[in-house]
Amino acid sequence: ENVLIMEWIDATKLTDVPSMGENGVRNTIEGKDAVKENLALVKVAIDSTLSQLLVSGVLHADPHAGNLLKVTRDDGTVTLGYLDFGLLSTIPEQVRE
């Protein structure tokens, strides 16, 4: 009846980016790229949350920075990873409309 499934995901937090230099600017191109990638994934998270809320009606109800990860695929592209589906919310269709 109740099943718990666990899987290891090699990923980094969206808040993990290289630190700023003394002048308040990212010191490396990699640091700037990491910020752009992470911000793009935050947009994906927002779009995903809206889709869950308005389309499917099943919503991950705890999408904080610790539950959203940047996953690098084998081909070098990045994607968003969600953790901890222990708190879900269902949205009735009449509310979604």
Side-chain angles (χ1 to χ4, degrees):
E1 184 176 306
N2 294 316
V3 178
L4 174 65
I5 298 174
M6 295 174 56
E7 179 179 348
W8 182 263
I9 299 175
D10 283 319
T12 57
K13 293 181 180 181
L14 293 176
T15 55
D16 289 348
V17 292
S19 61
M20 296 279 221
E22 291 179 16
N23 58 0
V25 176
R26 303 268 175 224
N27 290 330
T28 63
I29 292 173
E30 293 84 12
K32 292 176 184 177
D33 288 344
V35 170
K36 285 182 183 178
E37 280 181 347
N38 291 4
L39 288 174
L41 290 174
V42 168
K43 183 183 181 320
V44 169
I46 292 168
D47 292 346
S48 177
T49 299
L50 288 173
S51 177
Q52 292 169 34
L53 176 66
L54 301 173
V55 178
S56 72
V58 179
L59 177 72
H60 185 296
D62 194 20
H64 59 78
N67 284 341
L68 300 172
L69 299 176
K70 176 168 124 177
V71 180
T72 303
R73 296 179 174 144
D74 292 338
D75 64 1
T77 60
V78 296
T79 190
L80 182 66
Y82 273 83
L83 298 179
D84 189 4
F85 286 86
L87 185 59
L88 295 174
S89 181
T90 54
I91 315 301
E93 189 171 349
Q94 66 269 22
V95 173
R96 288 186 274 144
E97 291 176 0

